Amino acid sequence: MRAARLIKMVLLLQSRPSMTAAELARELEVSERTVTRDAQALSEAGVPVYADRGRVGGYRLVGGYRTRLTGLARSEAEALFLSGVPGALREMGLEDAASAARLKVSAALLPSLRDASRTAAQRFHLDAPNWFREPRTPELLPAVADAVWDDRRITARYRRGERDVERELEPYGLVLKAGVWYLCARVAGHGSFRVYRIDRFTTVDAGEGRFEREEGFDLPAFWEERAEQFARSLLRDRVVVRLSPEGVRRLPHAVDPLSAREALAGADGPDAGGWVTLTLPVESEEVAHTQLTALGPEVEVLAPEALRERFAAQAARLAELYRPRRSARTPGARPAPRADA
């Protein structure tokens, strides 16, 4: 375990000019004290790890030291061939480049590992789009992807409601979410980052001008933050409900998981029957009715009154549909005599 951590530490320092103890501790998932001990162990083993002191100090490798500890284990080689999304690469126009890269990696592997691509593909496959939705590749996606790779500004026109809007954008990154492509970009001269659906672009003109990327921009973190903001923006209404223990368990599967987590976290303890009362953020009463119907008798709507009346009317209709069927024979009447009697 420690040997693998020491190797990873050397490779991290080899890939960057320097790293602080805090950065190494985060990457290696250990304490800063452990990082100090590991650096000392590497130095004693002959690896030239040097520690710069001071506020901007950190650890670095001296004299352009390069390690040859880059051999791949089978699990690492198989994981490498899983790192791409074939469909997404094809849609961005990168299928040929990815294929060439996989061939080069395969040729460089030890003979015993050259079947890694085949064994990985036989065991794992990523199908990104949602069910019951025909995936459509935006025609302008390859042009946008090229601009993202080259850090080139683009002039894009996109549909906003009933009109087209033109913006000069600095394209930072692409995100594929549930079969839909999004562009995370900074508006040129404005400084703010925004998210655009690429299938709403009508034209994209990529010039020769390049932009300077913000060094600290983190695409996964940015997307996670914006996705959460978007989810919250949809939850404009509130409903008050009572949930049975089974309803509490099933709630995150019936409504937005973020909404369910927050509502359950702010709820009081269960009553004597185990039921929990909580206020649930929802997109609208219409959506709430559709979602909460899936919980059946495990939920009671307390407010708003209009939604409660809607559930009461639905329950009455269900009771009428599922009332016991009357027997074809009048109660108390004698059965008809059999023909062979």
Side-chain angles (χ1 to χ4, degrees):
M1 182 68 176
R2 190 189 185 200
R5 188 175 71 241
L6 293 175
I7 291 173
K8 184 176 180 180
M9 183 174 180
V10 173
L11 294 175
L12 283 169
L13 293 174
Q14 183 174 297
S15 65
R16 307 179 193 181
S18 69
M19 295 183 69
T20 66
E23 290 171 336
L24 283 167
R26 186 165 55 252
E27 291 282 352
L28 299 172
E29 299 181 349
V30 296
S31 67
E32 293 186 31
R33 192 179 188 88
T34 299
V35 168
T36 301
R37 288 198 296 265
D38 286 352
Q40 180 66 30
L42 287 171
S43 180
E44 293 173 355
V47 179
V49 178
Y50 181 80
D52 288 320
R53 306 296 179 184
R55 184 173 60 85
V56 293
Y59 291 93
R60 61 186 177 88
L61 295 175
V62 179
Y65 175 85
R66 306 291 293 178
T67 178
R68 293 174 181 256
L69 298 173
T70 53
L72 292 175
R74 168 165 290 276
S75 60
E76 295 168 333
E78 291 173 343
L80 177 64
F81 285 102
L82 285 173
S83 61
V85 184
L89 292 172
R90 182 174 57 254
E91 292 176 4
M92 289 189 291
L94 298 174
E95 185 176 25
D96 291 343
S99 177
R102 286 193 293 269
L103 286 173
K104 291 177 181 179
V105 171
S106 295
L109 290 173
L110 293 173
S112 61
L113 299 179
R114 287 178 185 165
D115 66 339
S117 61
R118 181 178 58 83
T119 57
Q122 288 174 343
R123 288 165 173 79
F124 300 99
H125 175 69
L126 177 60
D127 186 9
N130 280 337
W131 287 102
F132 313 116
R133 176 182 295 176
E134 186 68 25
R136 296 181 180 178
T137 303
E139 294 182 5
L140 298 173
L141 176 61
V144 176
D146 285 344
V148 169
W149 278 115
D150 294 339
D151 294 338
R152 281 184 288 125
R153 289 188 180 91
I154 61 173
T155 300
R157 293 184 66 84
Y158 64 96
R159 295 186 300 276
R160 177 189 284 177
E162 300 298 323
R163 62 191 181 97
D164 278 5
V165 178
E166 184 174 288
R167 290 284 186 272
E168 185 178 357
L169 303 174
E170 298 175 352
Y172 268 66
L174 291 169
V175 175
L176 177 61
K177 170 71 171 179
V180 179
W181 284 96
Y182 296 88
L183 172 67
C184 301
R186 182 169 60 183
V187 181
H190 191 278
S192 62
F193 286 91
R194 299 180 184 177
V195 176
Y196 301 87
R197 277 185 61 147
I198 295 180
D199 59 6
R200 292 179 182 168
F201 285 174
T202 55
T203 63
V204 171
D205 180 20
E208 297 301 321
R210 285 177 164 77
F211 63 93
E212 192 73 23
R213 294 178 67 92
E214 286 190 14
E215 187 175 340
F217 180 78
D218 184 334
L219 179 60
F222 171 78
W223 176 258
E224 182 179 1
E225 178 185 351
R226 287 305 173 91
E228 184 172 320
Q229 289 176 358
F230 176 73
R232 290 180 185 278
S233 70
L234 295 177
L235 306 176
R236 305 183 188 92
D237 289 345
R238 299 288 186 272
V239 299
V240 182
V241 298
R242 288 179 68 242
L243 293 166
S244 70
E246 177 64 13
V248 169
R249 187 187 69 80
R250 290 165 48 187
L251 183 66
H253 304 287
V255 303
D256 176 73
L258 175 64
S259 171
R261 287 197 303 269
E262 292 187 351
L264 290 170
D268 294 331
D271 60 20
W275 286 62
V276 174
T277 300
L278 53 82
T279 301
L280 183 68
V282 294
E283 185 174 343
S284 65
E285 287 188 19
E286 181 72 28
V287 172
H289 178 262
T290 300
Q291 293 175 333
L292 295 176
T293 295
L295 298 180
E298 309 303 329
V299 62
E300 177 190 3
V301 174
L302 302 180
E305 188 61 30
L307 183 59
R308 180 178 174 85
E309 291 175 356
R310 187 169 183 173
F311 271 94
Q314 182 182 44
R317 291 180 60 195
L318 286 171
E320 178 66 20
L321 285 173
Y322 289 99
R323 64 179 180 173
R325 293 176 178 174
R326 293 180 179 178
S327 173
R329 180 166 53 87
T330 303
R334 293 183 179 180
R338 293 174 55 181
D340 58 350

